Amino acid sequence: MVTDARPVALRVAYDAAHGGRWTSLHGGGREWLWRGPEPGRHEVRPDDAFVDAGGLEECLPTVRGEPDHGEVWSRPWRSAGPGTVVVERPTFTLTRRITDSGGVVVADYRLAADPGYRFVWAAHALLDLSPTARLDAPAGTPTRLHPEAAALLPPGGWPTGDPWLTGPWPTPAGLTLDTFGPDDGTALGAVLLDCPRVQVLDGADRLTLELECAGQPRSTALWRNLGGWPANRPYRSVGIEPMLGAAFDLADAGPDDAVAVPASGEVSWRLTISAHRIH
């Protein structure tokens, strides 16, 4: 039997006043973005603790570390034209323009900062996926496991003092990461290095995420929380996160693990998201 994968038009909504957060990514009768259980997202003020409300959060200049999930998610962004918003910080200005008129979501970013400024960015997209969903990425992609994975390895399996352990996708260090269920009480983060394009497969639906940025490190981060976090009230959440850089925490990033603003004082990148359905 021959299957036919047909495009599904996507539409996007965002909340500029609350960190530029993407609140909806829907098409073909399906909402792709997960909504979290934590209340209080609209009451957040700069430097507050992160509130996991779901959707897609813009994380910059770091994902983990200080401040948690970066500086821009907790601040209002101002409008700068149709689909365009801007957030300004003492060390950088970030501009984002989103279009979805053709059914494909295209987000164009531009960061202006002093030459040499270093940062990590991630589109922290928490997706509403079934337990049968999986993440398709090139086999053998070097994948960095982060320290919470140590508890899932045999005794002595984690290199003492190292910020990550690298192995080939989809089973770095023997841990199967490309499937998402059922809940097993685990939670871990990983970064797929030099991996700018991935596809999420869930039933008949396909969601493709692709990141373009000339001359800078591009990765895909994975947050695979199957009821293992937070410790006091665990729930399920799965993040597929196109990333500039190769480390969750800017403080851990070596010379090749973060973006360095060139002499022009600007870095531009594009995130493209498309959907298909198999008939």
Side-chain angles (χ1 to χ4, degrees):
M1 181 178 67
V2 177
T3 57
D4 178 20
R6 302 177 185 175
V8 174
L10 292 174
R11 294 291 179 263
V12 67
Y14 61 86
D15 185 350
H18 301 96
R21 173 174 164 259
W22 302 33
T23 56
S24 179
L25 179 67
H26 66 279
R30 172 170 188 156
E31 173 59 57
W32 281 97
L33 294 181
W34 171 85
R35 291 176 172 83
E38 299 297 324
R41 181 65 176 80
H42 284 190
E43 287 71 50
V44 166
R45 296 295 179 267
D47 302 319
D48 282 357
F50 182 66
V51 175
D52 196 7
L56 186 157
E57 302 279 9
E58 302 284 357
C59 297
L60 190 145
T62 190
V63 182
R64 298 184 183 181
E66 296 294 335
D68 188 19
H69 287 73
E71 297 182 18
V72 301
W73 73 270
S74 60
R75 289 173 164 81
W77 299 36
R78 62 175 174 84
S79 176
T84 304
V85 289
V86 178
V87 60
E88 296 166 325
R89 302 295 301 131
T91 54
F92 64 84
T93 298
L94 178 66
T95 303
R96 183 190 74 196
R97 179 175 184 265
I98 297 179
T99 61
D100 61 12
S101 58
V104 174
V105 173
V106 178
D108 286 306
Y109 296 83
R110 184 178 72 255
L111 181 137
D114 290 340
Y117 178 76
R118 299 177 78 241
F119 68 92
V120 171
W121 165 86
H124 187 276
L126 294 174
L127 301 184
D128 188 3
L129 303 176
S130 76
T132 62
R134 65 183 183 90
L135 178 62
D136 186 31
T141 296
T143 302
R144 286 178 172 172
L145 295 170
H146 283 251
E148 61 271 15
L152 307 178
L153 301 178
W158 188 269
T160 303
D162 288 357
W164 45 66
L165 174 63
T166 304
W169 179 265
T171 55
L175 301 178
T176 300
L177 299 189
D178 61 339
T179 56
F180 300 122
D183 289 1
D184 58 10
T186 65
L188 59 83
V191 177
L192 287 74
L193 306 180
D194 192 23
C195 183
R197 184 182 186 275
V198 296
Q199 190 172 68
V200 179
L201 296 81
D202 193 5
D205 290 321
R206 307 289 185 265
L207 188 73
T208 304
L209 303 96
E210 185 166 4
L211 181 61
E212 301 170 69
C213 185
Q216 300 291 353
R218 297 171 298 163
S219 305
T220 298
L222 169 66
W223 171 241
R224 187 175 178 270
N225 175 26
L226 305 182
W229 186 90
N232 58 335
R233 286 184 300 168
Y235 50 84
R236 177 188 181 92
S237 58
V238 174
I240 310 298
E241 309 173 25
M243 170 186 275
L244 289 181
F248 281 121
D249 191 338
L250 182 61
D252 293 332
D256 298 326
D257 297 330
V259 177
V261 175
S264 65
E266 289 191 352
V267 178
S268 297
W269 64 97
R270 169 173 286 184
L271 172 62
T272 302
I273 306 177
S274 59
H276 292 78
R277 180 167 293 159
I278 293 176
H279 294 267

